[in-house]
Amino acid sequence: MSTTVGAFVAGGIAACGAVTITHPFETVKIRLQLQGELQAKKDAPRLYKGVLHGVKVIAQNEGAKGLFRGIGAAYIYQMVLNGCRLGLYEPVRNGLTTAIFKDGAVQSLGVNIFSGATSGIVGAALGSPMFLIKTRLQSFSPFLPVGTQHGYKNARDGAAQIYRNEGVKGLYRGVGAACVRTGFGSSVQLPTYFFAKRRLVRHLGMQEGLPLHLMSSAASGFVVCCVMHPPDTIMSRMYNQTGNLYSGVFDCFSKTVKTEGVLAIYKGFFAHLARILPHTILTLTFAEQTNKLMRRFEARILSPEGVGEKIV
Protein backbone atom coordinates (compact mmCIF):
# COMPACT_ATOMS: atom_id res chain seq x y z
CA MET A 1 0.00 0.00 0.00
CA SER A 2 1.29 3.47 -0.84
CA THR A 3 1.37 6.20 1.81
CA THR A 4 -1.87 7.96 2.77
CA VAL A 5 -1.00 10.94 0.54
CA GLY A 6 -0.05 8.60 -2.29
CA ALA A 7 -3.29 6.63 -1.93
CA PHE A 8 -5.27 9.91 -1.86
CA VAL A 9 -3.68 11.07 -5.14
CA ALA A 10 -4.00 7.63 -6.77
CA GLY A 11 -7.65 7.33 -5.74
CA GLY A 12 -8.49 10.80 -7.01
CA ILE A 13 -6.82 10.25 -10.37
CA ALA A 14 -8.55 6.88 -10.79
CA ALA A 15 -11.96 8.42 -10.06
CA CYS A 16 -11.40 11.28 -12.52
CA GLY A 17 -10.61 8.78 -15.25
CA ALA A 18 -13.82 6.91 -14.47
CA VAL A 19 -16.07 9.97 -14.27
CA THR A 20 -14.93 11.15 -17.71
CA ILE A 21 -16.60 8.07 -19.17
CA THR A 22 -19.68 7.82 -16.93
CA HIS A 23 -20.67 11.49 -16.50
CA PRO A 24 -23.45 11.48 -19.16
CA PHE A 25 -25.33 8.75 -17.23
CA GLU A 26 -25.05 10.88 -14.08
CA THR A 27 -26.68 13.78 -15.93
CA VAL A 28 -29.57 11.55 -17.04
CA LYS A 29 -29.93 10.10 -13.52
CA ILE A 30 -30.25 13.53 -11.91
CA ARG A 31 -32.89 14.67 -14.40
CA LEU A 32 -34.88 11.46 -13.90
CA GLN A 33 -34.73 11.97 -10.13
CA LEU A 34 -36.00 15.55 -10.41
CA GLN A 35 -38.65 14.78 -13.02
CA GLY A 36 -42.17 15.13 -11.59
CA GLU A 37 -40.84 16.52 -8.32
CA LEU A 38 -43.66 16.81 -5.75
CA GLN A 39 -46.30 16.01 -8.38
CA ALA A 40 -48.72 13.10 -8.35
CA LYS A 41 -47.65 10.39 -10.79
CA LYS A 42 -50.72 10.90 -13.02
CA ASP A 43 -50.01 14.63 -13.32
CA ALA A 44 -46.25 14.49 -13.87
CA PRO A 45 -45.00 14.86 -17.47
CA ARG A 46 -42.37 12.31 -18.55
CA LEU A 47 -39.82 14.31 -20.49
CA TYR A 48 -37.17 11.63 -19.96
CA LYS A 49 -38.49 8.07 -20.33
CA GLY A 50 -35.44 6.09 -19.27
CA VAL A 51 -31.67 5.86 -19.53
CA LEU A 52 -31.27 5.54 -23.30
CA HIS A 53 -34.11 7.93 -24.08
CA GLY A 54 -32.56 10.45 -21.69
CA VAL A 55 -29.17 10.22 -23.38
CA LYS A 56 -30.84 10.52 -26.80
CA VAL A 57 -32.98 13.59 -26.11
CA ILE A 58 -30.21 15.44 -24.28
CA ALA A 59 -27.75 14.71 -27.10
CA GLN A 60 -30.29 15.79 -29.74
CA ASN A 61 -31.30 19.02 -28.02
CA GLU A 62 -28.15 20.07 -26.15
CA GLY A 63 -25.34 18.10 -27.76
CA ALA A 64 -22.31 16.74 -25.93
CA LYS A 65 -22.23 19.93 -23.86
CA GLY A 66 -25.57 19.00 -22.31
CA LEU A 67 -24.44 15.49 -21.40
CA PHE A 68 -21.21 16.76 -19.88
CA ARG A 69 -22.63 19.72 -17.95
CA GLY A 70 -20.81 20.12 -14.63
CA ILE A 71 -17.83 17.92 -15.57
CA GLY A 72 -15.35 20.41 -14.07
CA ALA A 73 -17.10 20.36 -10.70
CA ALA A 74 -17.33 16.56 -10.98
CA TYR A 75 -13.53 16.28 -11.35
CA ILE A 76 -12.92 18.35 -8.23
CA TYR A 77 -15.54 16.39 -6.27
CA GLN A 78 -14.13 13.04 -7.37
CA MET A 79 -10.60 14.05 -6.38
CA VAL A 80 -11.81 14.98 -2.90
CA LEU A 81 -14.34 12.16 -2.36
CA ASN A 82 -12.42 9.23 -3.76
CA GLY A 83 -9.10 10.59 -2.62
CA CYS A 84 -10.50 10.39 0.93
CA ARG A 85 -12.47 7.19 0.32
CA LEU A 86 -9.53 5.25 -1.12
CA GLY A 87 -6.78 7.12 0.72
CA LEU A 88 -8.21 6.99 4.25
CA TYR A 89 -9.86 3.55 4.17
CA GLU A 90 -6.75 1.47 4.76
CA PRO A 91 -5.20 3.71 7.47
CA VAL A 92 -8.52 3.79 9.38
CA ARG A 93 -9.07 0.04 8.98
CA ASN A 94 -5.49 -0.80 9.94
CA GLY A 95 -5.57 1.50 12.98
CA LEU A 96 -8.86 0.05 14.26
CA THR A 97 -7.92 -3.60 13.75
CA THR A 98 -4.55 -3.00 15.40
CA ALA A 99 -6.25 -1.32 18.37
CA ILE A 100 -8.98 -3.97 18.72
CA PHE A 101 -7.28 -7.20 17.61
CA LYS A 102 -3.61 -6.22 18.09
CA ASP A 103 -3.04 -7.24 14.48
CA GLY A 104 -3.61 -4.95 11.49
CA ALA A 105 -3.87 -7.93 9.12
CA VAL A 106 -7.12 -9.19 10.70
CA GLN A 107 -10.18 -8.84 8.42
CA SER A 108 -13.28 -7.80 10.39
CA LEU A 109 -16.49 -7.09 8.45
CA GLY A 110 -17.69 -4.60 11.08
CA VAL A 111 -14.40 -2.70 11.09
CA ASN A 112 -14.27 -2.74 7.28
CA ILE A 113 -17.79 -1.31 6.97
CA PHE A 114 -17.08 1.35 9.60
CA SER A 115 -13.80 2.31 7.90
CA GLY A 116 -15.48 2.57 4.51
CA ALA A 117 -18.32 4.70 5.88
CA THR A 118 -15.93 6.97 7.80
CA SER A 119 -13.62 7.63 4.86
CA GLY A 120 -16.60 8.24 2.57
CA ILE A 121 -18.36 10.63 4.96
CA VAL A 122 -15.19 12.72 5.35
CA GLY A 123 -14.88 12.96 1.56
CA ALA A 124 -18.58 13.75 1.10
CA ALA A 125 -18.52 16.54 3.69
CA LEU A 126 -15.41 18.15 2.18
CA GLY A 127 -16.64 17.83 -1.40
CA SER A 128 -20.31 18.68 -0.81
CA PRO A 129 -20.21 22.23 -2.29
CA MET A 130 -18.81 20.87 -5.57
CA PHE A 131 -21.45 18.14 -5.75
CA LEU A 132 -24.17 20.74 -5.12
CA ILE A 133 -22.86 22.93 -7.96
CA LYS A 134 -22.50 19.89 -10.23
CA THR A 135 -26.10 18.83 -9.56
CA ARG A 136 -27.48 22.27 -10.37
CA LEU A 137 -25.41 22.52 -13.55
CA GLN A 138 -26.58 19.07 -14.70
CA SER A 139 -30.25 19.72 -13.95
CA PHE A 140 -30.30 22.86 -16.10
CA SER A 141 -31.78 22.51 -19.58
CA PRO A 142 -33.02 25.27 -21.90
CA PHE A 143 -35.06 22.66 -23.82
CA LEU A 144 -36.46 20.08 -21.36
CA PRO A 145 -36.19 21.58 -17.85
CA VAL A 146 -37.00 19.57 -14.72
CA GLY A 147 -36.86 20.75 -11.13
CA THR A 148 -35.60 24.17 -10.08
CA GLN A 149 -33.45 25.70 -12.84
CA HIS A 150 -30.15 27.48 -12.17
CA GLY A 151 -28.52 29.31 -15.07
CA TYR A 152 -24.89 29.09 -13.94
CA LYS A 153 -22.24 29.60 -16.62
CA ASN A 154 -19.78 27.20 -14.99
CA ALA A 155 -18.68 25.88 -11.59
CA ARG A 156 -16.95 29.14 -10.61
CA ASP A 157 -19.99 31.21 -11.52
CA GLY A 158 -22.22 28.75 -9.64
CA ALA A 159 -20.10 29.00 -6.48
CA ALA A 160 -20.13 32.82 -6.69
CA GLN A 161 -23.91 33.03 -7.20
CA ILE A 162 -24.69 30.55 -4.42
CA TYR A 163 -22.41 32.38 -1.99
CA ARG A 164 -23.86 35.76 -2.96
CA ASN A 165 -27.52 34.68 -2.74
CA GLU A 166 -27.46 31.95 -0.09
CA GLY A 167 -24.21 32.46 1.82
CA VAL A 168 -21.91 29.74 3.16
CA LYS A 169 -24.98 27.87 4.38
CA GLY A 170 -26.16 27.65 0.78
CA LEU A 171 -22.90 26.04 -0.34
CA TYR A 172 -23.37 23.35 2.30
CA ARG A 173 -27.09 22.86 1.70
CA GLY A 174 -27.84 19.13 1.68
CA VAL A 175 -24.53 18.12 3.25
CA GLY A 176 -26.39 15.87 5.73
CA ALA A 177 -28.05 13.97 2.88
CA ALA A 178 -24.68 13.73 1.11
CA CYS A 179 -23.04 12.20 4.18
CA VAL A 180 -25.86 9.66 4.59
CA ARG A 181 -25.76 8.76 0.90
CA THR A 182 -21.99 8.45 0.70
CA GLY A 183 -21.75 6.74 4.08
CA PHE A 184 -24.15 4.07 2.82
CA GLY A 185 -22.23 3.61 -0.43
CA SER A 186 -18.73 3.76 1.06
CA SER A 187 -19.62 1.38 3.87
CA VAL A 188 -20.13 -1.38 1.30
CA GLN A 189 -17.95 -0.35 -1.68
CA LEU A 190 -14.47 -1.39 -0.55
CA PRO A 191 -15.55 -4.15 1.88
CA THR A 192 -17.65 -5.72 -0.90
CA TYR A 193 -14.82 -5.30 -3.41
CA PHE A 194 -12.24 -7.00 -1.19
CA PHE A 195 -14.78 -9.66 -0.07
CA ALA A 196 -15.59 -10.54 -3.70
CA LYS A 197 -11.91 -10.50 -4.57
CA ARG A 198 -11.01 -12.96 -1.78
CA ARG A 199 -13.91 -15.27 -2.70
CA LEU A 200 -13.02 -15.28 -6.40
CA VAL A 201 -9.42 -16.15 -5.57
CA ARG A 202 -10.39 -18.83 -3.05
CA HIS A 203 -13.30 -20.51 -4.86
CA LEU A 204 -12.59 -19.90 -8.55
CA GLY A 205 -8.81 -19.89 -8.34
CA MET A 206 -8.52 -16.53 -10.09
CA GLN A 207 -5.11 -14.89 -10.13
CA GLU A 208 -4.23 -11.26 -9.41
CA GLY A 209 -4.85 -9.27 -12.57
CA LEU A 210 -7.37 -7.31 -14.64
CA PRO A 211 -10.12 -10.00 -14.88
CA LEU A 212 -10.15 -10.37 -11.08
CA HIS A 213 -10.29 -6.59 -10.60
CA LEU A 214 -13.16 -6.25 -13.11
CA MET A 215 -15.33 -8.98 -11.56
CA SER A 216 -14.72 -7.75 -8.01
CA SER A 217 -15.53 -4.18 -9.05
CA ALA A 218 -18.76 -5.24 -10.80
CA ALA A 219 -19.99 -7.02 -7.67
CA SER A 220 -19.12 -4.00 -5.56
CA GLY A 221 -20.84 -1.55 -7.94
CA PHE A 222 -24.13 -3.45 -7.95
CA VAL A 223 -24.30 -3.60 -4.14
CA VAL A 224 -23.38 0.08 -3.86
CA CYS A 225 -26.18 1.11 -6.23
CA CYS A 226 -28.83 -0.91 -4.36
CA VAL A 227 -27.80 0.55 -0.99
CA MET A 228 -27.13 4.12 -2.07
CA HIS A 229 -29.89 5.03 -4.52
CA PRO A 230 -32.73 6.10 -2.14
CA PRO A 231 -30.54 8.59 -0.21
CA ASP A 232 -29.02 9.63 -3.57
CA THR A 233 -32.47 10.70 -4.82
CA ILE A 234 -33.08 12.68 -1.63
CA MET A 235 -29.66 14.30 -1.93
CA SER A 236 -30.26 15.37 -5.56
CA ARG A 237 -33.49 17.09 -4.56
CA MET A 238 -31.95 18.71 -1.49
CA TYR A 239 -29.09 20.07 -3.60
CA ASN A 240 -31.22 21.38 -6.45
CA GLN A 241 -33.61 23.41 -4.27
CA THR A 242 -32.72 26.75 -2.67
CA GLY A 243 -34.41 26.05 0.65
CA ASN A 244 -37.88 26.71 -0.75
CA LEU A 245 -39.09 23.10 -1.00
CA TYR A 246 -37.59 21.08 1.86
CA SER A 247 -36.42 21.96 5.35
CA GLY A 248 -34.22 18.89 5.71
CA VAL A 249 -33.56 15.27 4.78
CA PHE A 250 -36.58 13.80 6.55
CA ASP A 251 -38.90 16.51 5.23
CA CYS A 252 -37.70 15.79 1.69
CA PHE A 253 -38.18 12.03 2.14
CA SER A 254 -41.64 12.50 3.66
CA LYS A 255 -42.92 14.92 1.00
CA THR A 256 -41.50 12.83 -1.85
CA VAL A 257 -43.09 9.57 -0.68
CA LYS A 258 -46.37 11.22 0.31
CA THR A 259 -46.81 13.05 -3.01
CA GLU A 260 -45.24 10.67 -5.53
CA GLY A 261 -45.35 7.29 -3.82
CA VAL A 262 -42.63 5.12 -2.27
CA LEU A 263 -41.14 4.15 -5.65
CA ALA A 264 -40.25 7.81 -6.26
CA ILE A 265 -37.07 7.35 -4.21
CA TYR A 266 -36.00 4.82 -6.86
CA LYS A 267 -36.44 7.22 -9.79
CA GLY A 268 -33.42 7.00 -12.05
CA PHE A 269 -32.26 3.68 -10.56
CA PHE A 270 -31.26 2.15 -13.89
CA ALA A 271 -29.46 5.34 -14.95
CA HIS A 272 -27.65 5.18 -11.61
CA LEU A 273 -26.78 1.54 -12.25
CA ALA A 274 -25.61 2.40 -15.77
CA ARG A 275 -23.32 5.01 -14.24
CA ILE A 276 -22.13 3.33 -11.07
CA LEU A 277 -21.30 -0.12 -12.46
CA PRO A 278 -18.76 1.15 -15.01
CA HIS A 279 -17.73 3.95 -12.62
CA THR A 280 -16.96 1.51 -9.79
CA ILE A 281 -15.28 -0.95 -12.15
CA LEU A 282 -13.15 1.79 -13.69
CA THR A 283 -12.37 3.55 -10.39
CA LEU A 284 -11.28 0.43 -8.53
CA THR A 285 -9.48 -1.03 -11.55
CA PHE A 286 -7.71 2.26 -12.24
CA ALA A 287 -6.96 2.55 -8.51
CA GLU A 288 -5.13 -0.78 -8.56
CA GLN A 289 -2.96 0.53 -11.39
CA THR A 290 -2.46 4.08 -10.07
CA ASN A 291 -1.55 2.70 -6.64
CA LYS A 292 1.14 0.53 -8.25
CA LEU A 293 2.52 3.54 -10.09
CA MET A 294 2.37 5.65 -6.92
CA ARG A 295 4.21 2.99 -4.91
CA ARG A 296 6.97 2.90 -7.53
CA PHE A 297 7.16 6.68 -7.56
CA GLU A 298 7.32 6.87 -3.75
CA ALA A 299 9.91 4.09 -3.62
CA ARG A 300 12.17 6.15 -5.87
CA ILE A 301 11.55 9.46 -4.09
CA LEU A 302 11.48 8.23 -0.48
CA SER A 303 14.16 5.53 -0.61
CA PRO A 304 17.62 6.43 0.77
CA GLU A 305 19.09 5.92 -2.71
CA GLY A 306 16.46 8.18 -4.24
CA VAL A 307 17.02 10.87 -1.62
CA GLY A 308 20.78 10.66 -2.15
CA GLU A 309 20.41 10.98 -5.87
CA LYS A 310 18.08 13.94 -5.44
CA ILE A 311 20.54 15.77 -3.13
CA VAL A 312 23.47 15.13 -5.44
Side-chain angles (χ1 to χ4, degrees), residues 9-62:
V9 174
I13 292 172
C16 286
V19 81
T20 302
I21 298 169
T22 62
H23 192 76
F25 292 118
E26 174 76 359
T27 300
V28 175
K29 182 209 74 174
I30 286 173
R31 295 192 186 183
L32 286 169
Q33 289 174 322
L34 296 172
Q35 182 171 253
E37 186 173 18
L38 298 184
Q39 292 178 282
K41 189 174 181 180
K42 59 183 177 62
D43 300 325
R46 291 189 66 201
L47 303 178
Y48 305 96
K49 299 175 182 177
V51 186
L52 297 180
H53 180 260
V55 171
K56 178 184 175 184
V57 296
I58 293 172
Q60 285 178 339
N61 290 288
E62 303 170 50

Side-chain angles (χ1 to χ4, degrees), residues 1-15 78-91 190 283 286-288 290-295 297-298:
M1 191 64 161
S2 49
T3 64
T4 300
V5 174
F8 181 97
V9 174
I13 292 172
Q78 290 296 335
M79 281 295 296
V80 175
L81 172 66
N82 284 290
C84 289
R85 181 187 273 169
L86 300 177
L88 296 179
Y89 173 77
E90 189 59 28
L190 290 181
T283 298
F286 287 165
E288 293 273 7
T290 52
N291 263 308
K292 287 179 184 177
L293 292 173
M294 190 58 64
R295 283 196 294 270
F297 175 76
E298 289 177 340

Side-chain angles (χ1 to χ4, degrees), residues 4 72 157 207 218 222-223 251 256 258 268:
T4 300
D157 180 55
Q207 301 296 315
F222 180 76
V223 174
D251 182 52
T256 298
K258 185 177 180 180

Side-chain angles (χ1 to χ4, degrees), residues 182-216:
T182 309
F184 276 29
S186 298
S187 67
V188 297
Q189 185 189 47
L190 290 181
T192 305
Y193 175 74
F194 290 121
F195 178 82
K197 195 175 177 182
R198 289 194 298 272
R199 290 298 177 273
L200 289 168
V201 170
R202 180 180 300 177
H203 299 295
L204 297 183
M206 295 187 70
Q207 301 296 315
E208 185 68 26
L210 189 59
L212 176 62
H213 300 163
L214 289 173
M215 290 185 68
S216 303

Side-chain angles (χ1 to χ4, degrees), residues 85-278:
R85 181 187 273 169
L86 300 177
L88 296 179
Y89 173 77
E90 189 59 28
V92 172
R93 188 204 66 78
N94 186 66
L96 286 174
T97 50
T98 300
I100 296 170
F101 302 105
K102 312 303 180 188
D103 182 3
V106 172
Q107 290 294 331
S108 166
L109 181 61
V111 169
N112 291 353
I113 290 174
F114 179 82
S115 302
T118 300
S119 59
I121 288 170
V122 171
L126 292 175
S128 184
M130 279 298 115
F131 203 111
L132 180 146
I133 294 165
K134 178 189 77 69
T135 299
R136 294 186 178 185
L137 285 167
Q138 288 177 296
S139 69
F140 176 76
S141 172
F143 298 97
L144 297 171
V146 291
T148 304
Q149 295 289 283
H150 308 274
Y152 305 146
K153 298 175 184 176
N154 50 44
R156 179 182 291 181
D157 180 55
Q161 286 198 44
I162 293 169
Y163 180 74
R164 185 166 57 248
N165 298 325
E166 304 172 53
V168 175
K169 183 180 178 181
L171 286 169
Y172 279 91
R173 188 180 305 284
V175 67
C179 288
V180 171
R181 172 238 191 213
T182 309
F184 276 29
S186 298
S187 67
V188 297
Q189 185 189 47
L190 290 181
T192 305
Y193 175 74
F194 290 121
F195 178 82
K197 195 175 177 182
R198 289 194 298 272
R199 290 298 177 273
L200 289 168
V201 170
R202 180 180 300 177
H203 299 295
L204 297 183
M206 295 187 70
Q207 301 296 315
E208 185 68 26
L210 189 59
L212 176 62
H213 300 163
L214 289 173
M215 290 185 68
S216 303
S217 301
S220 175
F222 180 76
V223 174
V224 167
C225 189
C226 292
V227 170
M228 194 167 69
H229 191 75
D232 185 81
T233 300
I234 300 303
M235 184 199 67
S236 293
R237 294 186 170 199
M238 287 290 296
Y239 273 160
N240 198 55
Q241 59 138 8
T242 56
N244 57 319
L245 297 178
Y246 315 109
S247 60
V249 174
F250 293 108
D251 182 52
C252 180
F253 176 81
S254 175
K255 285 181 177 177
T256 298
V257 172
K258 185 177 180 180
T259 308
E260 304 169 54
V262 70
L263 292 180
I265 58 174
Y266 280 96
K267 281 185 175 181
F269 176 82
F270 290 107
H272 195 180
L273 193 62
R275 183 199 76 86
I276 208 164
L277 268 181

